[in-house]
Amino acid sequence: MNLFSSRICMGKNIVLMMFMFLTITAFISYINANAQNNSNSKKKNEIVDQEQKELDKAKTLHVKTRTKYVAFYNRQGALGRTEIAEKMTFDKRGNRKIFIRYKGLGQMDFKYTYNYNSKGDLVEAATYDSKDEMATKRISKYDKKGNELERKMIDFSHQTNNKAIFTYDKAGNLIDTKTFSNKGELLSDLVISYKDGLIINAVTKNSKGQVSQEIFSTYDSNDRLIREDRKTSQGTYSINYKYDKK
């Protein structure tokens, strides 16, 4: 989901009007260099993006369905027609249950489905193509603390079946993520270092043990992330973060 330009509340449904389709990133994230995709283990240094803010807002307002439309205007600026662009439904706990994106005239572009355990942990998720055929599937296992221990990632189109294993320190910080092929071969290894609960360094190595990416993080006096220096095989670059009063 993306930043919403306007919002109209109608009962427990939120209708979102948009003037263009927005690109949505693929559902299964094959491990980034910052943290594990686990909403139950947010750290104080995490940046909460607009997508998560909108999802938290929907949970607080007990939203059942959220719909986004695309509006078409003529040259005179008059509204011609509207078409459904996205639709998301939530379960009783406020968790995402089904997300559908449309490509026009009510035809489905793709669909995501989500399933949770009794503690609210995401244990299974899947993507479907425009023909409503399953394209990818994710299956996760958790410990008693809600930490994700294992994630299977199945891609039917590319016929891959990978698995990620997560390791944590005593404080519950994710310190190592190893990704394996269906044959048990190591594909990548992400090692994260912390200081006072903040991520200082994250190193990703490929199957040969060679460093493919390294990230150094810098924080201000309020423990807010202000800079990331990244080294990759293609070169180095930096990302700077700034904050407003809120």
Side-chain angles (χ1 to χ4, degrees), residues 133-199:
E133 296 180 353
M134 188 180 293
T136 62
K137 188 175 184 179
R138 162 188 158 177
I139 304 172
S140 298
K141 294 181 180 179
Y142 299 82
D143 62 15
K144 294 180 180 180
K145 297 180 180 179
N147 295 316
E148 186 178 11
L149 299 178
E150 178 182 300
R151 182 188 302 180
K152 291 183 179 179
M153 299 165 288
I154 306 170
D155 188 329
F156 297 100
S157 60
H158 295 90
Q159 297 182 342
T160 59
N161 187 350
N162 299 332
K163 179 174 66 175
I165 302 295
F166 306 100
T167 304
Y168 304 83
D169 61 17
K170 294 181 179 179
N173 297 309
L174 176 66
I175 58 174
D176 188 77
T177 299
K178 288 183 171 64
T179 306
F180 300 88
S181 69
N182 61 335
K183 296 181 180 180
E185 300 167 332
L186 180 65
L187 299 177
S188 65
D189 187 11
L190 168 63
V191 180
I192 303 176
S193 302
Y194 297 82
K195 183 179 180 180
D196 299 326
L198 299 174
I199 296 176

